[in-house]
Amino acid sequence: DRYAALVFAGGWLGPRWNEAIGLRVCDLNPLRHEITIGRVVVNQNGGTTFTEAMSKTEDARTIPAPDPVMTMLTEHIARYLPDAGREDFLFTTTRGTHPLRSNFSRDVLQAAAERAGLNGRKLTWLTLRHTAASLMFDAGLTIFEVQQRLGHKTPTMTAEVYTHLMRERFDEGRQRLENYMREMRSLRDS
C-alpha cells in the first residue's frame, strides 16, 4: 500500500527506477499536472546512497501527468508525508531510507502480481517502464512525445527499444491511411 503511488506512476509515466525514487515533493506541480524529473538516487547494494543532480541523459524534463496519476501522488503525500518539506523525497521506506530496486521487485511487485492473479509472471521496474511506453503508444502519442516522457536522447533510441510496439500499430496506420484515401476519393467524386 505504501508504494501504490510509486507503482502507479511507474506504469503510467515510465520513469527510470533511480529517477522515480529521486522524486521530491517540489518536483510535483499539481496545478499544471506536471512532474519534473531530473534528480536521481543511486543506491549501491544497500550501502552508500547518493543523489545526482541530473538524470541519465544529464538533463531535467518536465512531463505532463494524467489527473489520476497526480491525484494518487498528492494523496500519497497527504497520507505518508503530511509534514514533508519541499525537498523531501516522495518514496522512502518506513525507516526513511530509499527502497532497494531488487527488494522492491521481490517484495512489492511480485506480491502485487500474485494478488492480481499473475502468478509466475516476473515483474520488475523495467516491466512498468515498458508498460508505460505501451500505454502511451496505445493512447496515440507520437514517438517524439514518448521519447520526451521516457527521457531518451533521441526518437531513434525510442524506436529501437520499442519497435515491437510500433509494429503492432503498423496495420492500424495502414487502415487509417486507407480510410483517409477513401474519404478523399469520395469528396472528389461528389
Side-chain angles (χ1 to χ4, degrees):
D1 195 41
R2 180 178 188 87
Y3 300 112
L6 177 58
V7 172
F8 197 66
W12 282 100
L13 303 177
R16 296 172 183 93
W17 170 255
N18 293 348
E19 294 171 338
I21 65 170
L23 287 173
R24 297 176 191 235
V25 172
C26 62
D27 294 328
L28 302 185
N29 185 339
L31 296 177
R32 294 187 52 94
H33 287 80
E34 296 175 341
I35 297 175
T36 299
I37 296 174
R39 294 185 195 99
V40 298
V41 168
V42 179
N43 193 325
Q44 297 178 337
N45 298 327
T48 306
T49 299
F50 59 93
T51 304
E52 295 179 353
M54 293 297 187
S55 68
K56 183 177 178 180
T57 54
E58 299 180 5
D59 61 351
R61 65 188 186 279
T62 299
I63 60 172
D67 188 54
V69 175
M70 189 57 71
T71 298
M72 192 134 195
L73 291 171
T74 55
E75 288 173 358
H76 172 84
I77 292 169
R79 182 172 183 184
Y80 296 104
L81 306 165
D83 300 319
R86 289 183 40 77
E87 295 296 318
D88 287 344
F89 289 105
L90 288 182
F91 304 111
T92 57
T93 65
T94 55
R95 294 182 313 243
T97 60
H98 293 287
L100 297 174
R101 185 178 185 163
S102 59
N103 292 354
F104 187 83
S105 291
R106 181 191 67 227
D107 300 338
V108 176
L109 293 178
Q110 286 311 123
E114 288 174 21
R115 283 192 306 273
L118 301 172
N119 299 339
R121 280 284 197 58
K122 183 174 183 203
L123 296 183
T124 66
W125 187 261
L126 193 55
T127 307
L128 295 179
R129 187 164 161 84
H130 289 311
T131 297
S134 297
L135 294 170
M136 289 176 204
F137 282 120
D138 282 350
L141 274 64
T142 68
I143 192 164
F144 299 103
E145 292 169 309
V146 175
Q147 170 221 342
Q148 191 271 334
R149 290 169 190 236
L150 294 180
H152 291 154
K153 277 224 182 262
T154 66
T156 304
M157 166 78 173
T158 307
E160 288 172 356
V161 175
Y162 296 105
T163 300
H164 63 287
L165 297 177
M166 296 169 66
R167 182 71 185 157
E168 291 172 10
R169 295 185 65 196
F170 188 76
D171 284 336
E172 179 185 317
R174 178 191 49 77
Q175 187 63 53
R176 281 197 313 259
L177 190 56
E178 287 175 5
N179 292 343
Y180 176 77
M181 291 170 78
R182 210 175 3 266
E183 288 174 24
M184 290 300 106
R185 267 189 252 127
S186 175
L187 288 173
R188 184 192 68 205
D189 294 342
S190 321

